[in-house]
């Protein structure tokens, strides 16, 4: 009885902790959409009324449109580069059978542990040394570095979930390593590839610290939002823009997660149906006993 009471009390406190954690984490995020519909330039209670005028100000803003276009172009290019690198690195890590491939895979996942300020300063020094300077190309390279750990983790887990017997069977039938990779492993990994691309795009689209150090005369959307925070009258417009970004990011992340889980479930081994015969090593059909 006492053990059951202690377990019940521990479960109650765990529930309180989870609720407090969720409130602390998501309540500030939920306040942004709330105040974006408030008919006031101040983010404060009580609310003065419902309005859509802050969303209307998002249209026809040339500076905002330019920053959005830069973010979309840079995000698409960086996500493509990070996904291609993630596919190559993770596949060679699992099937390359080389210490060098394993080392490269470990190094590719290291940027997730390095503070963004350090990454930004290091990249700024590097691009100045090679003569690029702050520019769109520098931002793309920085975003590939930042998004690469995510694509490597996703693609590595996907390749690891594919039964190795499928690849071995293709090789035994005479297919080369490149043919097996192109016609067998990539089609089976398509959901994970799309998921890795979408998450890499989100990381690039929302990245601020690296852009702060590497941006030239063409700012991205996060940098534009930061510049507008200096003007109190622009705060409602910024919150409306933040709400729009939050909604789109949530949809993209949800689709990416659904695709990733669908790919993993498709690769999972299915339970044997006792009603179906099993083929023996001699090619005979053997029925499972019930």
């Amino acid at each position: 009885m006492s053990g059951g009471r202690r377990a019940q009390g521990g479960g109650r406190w765990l529930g309180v902790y989870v609720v407090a954690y969720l409130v602390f984490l998501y309540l500030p995020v939920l306040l942004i959409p709330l105040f974006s519909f408030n008919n006031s330039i101040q983010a404060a209670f009580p609310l003065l009324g419902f309005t859509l005028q802050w969303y209307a100000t998002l249209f026809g803003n040339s500076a905002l449109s330019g920053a959005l276009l830069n973010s979309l172009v840079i995000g698409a290019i960086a996500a493509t580069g990070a996904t291609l690198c993630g596919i190559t690195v993770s596949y060679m890590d699992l099937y390359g059978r080389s210490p060098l491939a394993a080392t490269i895979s470990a190094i590719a996942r290291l940027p997730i542990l390095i503070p963004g300020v350090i990454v930004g300063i290091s990249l700024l020094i590097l691009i100045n040394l090679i003569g690029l300077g702050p520019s769109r190309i520098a931002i793309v390279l920085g975003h590939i570095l930042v998004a690469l750990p995510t694509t490597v983790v996703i693609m590595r887990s996907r390749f690891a979930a594919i039964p190795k017997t499928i690849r071995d069977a293709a090789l035994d039938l005479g297919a080369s390593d490149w043919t097996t990779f192109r016609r067998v492993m990539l089609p089976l990994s398509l959901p994970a590839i799309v998921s890795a691309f979408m998450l890499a795009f989100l990381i690039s689209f929302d990245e601020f610290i690296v852009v702060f150090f590497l941006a030239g005369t063409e700012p991205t959307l996060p940098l534009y939002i930061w510049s507008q925070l200096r003007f109190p009258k622009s705060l409602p417009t910024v919150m409306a823009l933040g709400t729009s970004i939050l909604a789109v990011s949530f949809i993209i992340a949800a689709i990416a997660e659904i695709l990733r889980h669908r790919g993993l479930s498709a690769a999972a081994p299915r339970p044997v149906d006792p009603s179906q015969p099993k083929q023996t090593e001699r090619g005979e059909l053997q029925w499972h006993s019930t």
Side-chain angles (χ1 to χ4, degrees):
M1 292 294 293
S2 60
R5 290 178 179 177
R6 284 197 299 268
Q8 187 176 7
R12 186 181 299 111
W13 282 110
L14 179 61
V16 173
Y17 168 77
V18 171
V19 171
Y21 174 80
L22 293 176
V23 170
F24 175 78
L25 185 63
Y26 291 107
L27 182 59
V29 178
L30 294 177
L31 289 177
I32 295 178
L34 179 63
F35 288 123
S36 68
F37 296 104
N38 185 28
N39 190 14
S40 174
I41 63 173
Q42 296 181 350
F45 291 103
L47 302 178
L48 299 182
F50 179 84
T51 182
L52 294 175
Q53 63 174 325
W54 312 124
Y55 289 88
T57 59
L58 299 178
F59 301 95
N61 189 329
S62 59
L64 173 60
S65 301
L68 176 60
L69 180 60
N70 287 334
S71 291
L72 292 176
V73 172
I74 292 173
I77 298 175
T80 302
T83 304
L84 292 176
C85 293
I87 292 172
T88 305
V89 170
S90 57
Y91 187 81
M92 292 304 299
D93 183 21
L94 289 174
Y95 299 105
R97 299 184 180 91
S98 169
L100 179 60
T103 302
I104 293 176
S105 177
I107 294 175
R109 286 173 283 179
L110 278 180
I112 199 173
L113 303 176
I114 303 176
V117 175
I118 304 300
V119 174
I121 295 175
S122 302
L123 290 175
L124 178 61
I125 296 174
L126 177 62
I127 63 172
N128 286 330
L129 288 177
I130 62 179
L132 278 178
S135 60
R136 184 182 294 185
I137 298 178
I139 297 176
V140 170
L141 296 177
H143 284 190
I144 291 177
L145 177 65
V146 173
L148 183 58
T150 300
T151 60
V152 170
V153 170
I154 293 176
M155 294 310 305
R156 193 180 189 282
S157 62
R158 181 66 184 103
F159 286 136
I162 299 176
K164 293 185 177 181
T165 53
I166 296 178
R167 180 176 180 272
D168 294 338
L171 295 175
D172 291 341
L173 291 174
S176 62
D177 288 335
W178 168 246
T179 302
T180 302
F181 173 73
R182 179 172 57 90
R183 303 191 63 177
V184 178
M185 304 301 289
L186 283 184
L188 291 176
S189 305
L190 185 58
I193 294 174
V194 177
S195 175
F197 175 85
M198 297 176 72
L199 291 179
F201 177 82
L202 280 182
I203 293 173
S204 173
F205 190 84
D206 297 333
E207 178 60 37
F208 169 76
I209 299 178
V210 172
V211 176
F212 182 81
F213 288 96
L214 303 181
T217 58
E218 300 178 351
T220 59
L221 192 59
L223 199 59
Y224 169 81
I225 293 175
W226 176 82
S227 66
Q228 294 301 304
L229 290 178
R230 295 176 296 176
F231 308 104
K233 292 184 178 180
S234 300
L235 182 59
T237 303
V238 169
M239 288 190 293
L241 179 59
T243 302
S244 304
I245 296 175
L246 182 65
V248 174
S249 300
F250 178 81
I251 294 173
I252 294 177
I255 295 175
E257 191 67 14
I258 291 173
L259 290 174
R260 188 179 70 87
H261 280 286
R262 181 174 297 178
L264 292 176
S265 61
R270 298 180 180 179
V272 178
D273 187 358
S275 63
Q276 298 295 329
K278 181 181 72 173
Q279 191 173 18
T280 62
E281 295 181 357
R282 297 169 54 189
E284 300 173 348
L285 293 180
Q286 180 180 8
W287 292 85
H288 295 277
S289 58
T290 57

